[in-house]
Amino acid sequence: MPLPGDFAVVSMGGQGGALISAMETIAYDHSTHWDHAFIYVGDEMIVQAEPSGAQKVPLGAYQYSIWSSGILFPSAAQRTAIVAAAEKCAAGKIPYSYLDYGAIAAHRFHLPVPGLKDYIADTGHEICSQLVDQCWLDGGYHLFTDWRWPGFVSPYDLGTMLSKHA
C-alpha cells in the first residue's frame, strides 16, 4: 500500500493512453506502457493531471504500474510537503498542456526556439509527469540529478528511474 506522497507510473490504456503514447514517442523518441503518472495523497485518493486541469480523484486500478513505495524514501516532512504541493495543484486546477509535448520535442530535436527552456519549466501548465516531478521538488526531494532542464520529464523517465532503483 502506498504512503501519502508516493507516486505511480502506470498504463492508462484506451484511446487516451494511445494518444499520449503517440505524443511521447514524438516528444521523447520512445514509447512505453507507462503513459501516466500521479501522486497518492492518502485515503485512496490521487492527484493527477487531466485535460480539464489537475484533479483529486479516487485511486483506480491500472496495468503496468510501478510505485515509488519502497524504492524512494522521502522523510515524513517531505511527504507532507509533497502532498501539500499536489493538493495545491488540484485546488488551482493547474492546466494540462498538450503544447508541452511539442516544446519537449523541440528541445529533444535541439530546435533553437526562443524561451523554450522557460516554457518547459513553467509550472502554470503541466503534463502528469511534470506535476509529479514538481511536487516532489516542492517537497524538497529532487528525483533527477542528470542536469536535465526543469520540466523535461516523461512518465517513461519516472518509470525508468524507479526500475533502476527497484
Side-chain angles (χ1 to χ4, degrees):
M1 185 67 176
L3 296 173
D6 284 339
F7 70 89
V9 185
V10 302
S11 173
M12 284 180 38
Q15 291 178 336
L19 175 62
I20 290 170
S21 289
M23 288 188 294
E24 287 179 356
T25 299
I26 295 166
Y28 297 105
D29 192 28
H30 53 71
S31 183
T32 177
H33 50 256
W34 295 315
D35 50 30
H36 187 52
F38 52 76
I39 296 175
Y40 182 75
V41 295
D43 297 325
E44 300 296 313
M45 300 295 285
I46 61 172
V47 170
Q48 63 184 5
E50 294 186 0
S52 60
Q55 302 285 323
K56 183 176 177 180
V57 298
L59 175 63
Y62 297 92
Q63 291 185 349
Y64 307 113
S65 63
I66 184 167
W67 283 87
S68 64
S69 312
I71 298 172
L72 303 177
F73 301 97
S75 68
Q78 287 172 320
R79 286 184 180 283
T80 299
I82 291 165
V83 169
E87 296 273 8
K88 184 178 177 184
C89 287
K93 294 208 182 276
I94 298 296
Y96 192 86
S97 177
Y98 290 102
L99 293 177
D100 277 324
Y101 288 104
I104 290 167
H107 176 52
R108 182 173 77 83
F109 291 120
H110 307 287
L111 299 178
V113 178
L116 184 61
K117 184 175 184 177
D118 291 336
Y119 182 83
I120 292 172
D122 187 339
T123 59
H125 49 82
E126 296 177 321
I127 60 174
C128 60
S129 49
Q130 291 172 318
L131 185 142
V132 167
D133 186 47
Q134 188 61 50
C135 288
W136 273 61
L137 186 59
D138 291 349
Y141 196 109
H142 204 285
L143 292 172
F144 296 97
T145 57
D146 58 4
W147 304 102
R148 70 182 55 224
W149 282 8
F152 190 68
V153 58
S154 71
Y156 173 84
D157 294 328
L158 293 171
T160 301
M161 182 262 302
L162 291 176
S163 294
K164 288 180 181 176
H165 290 91

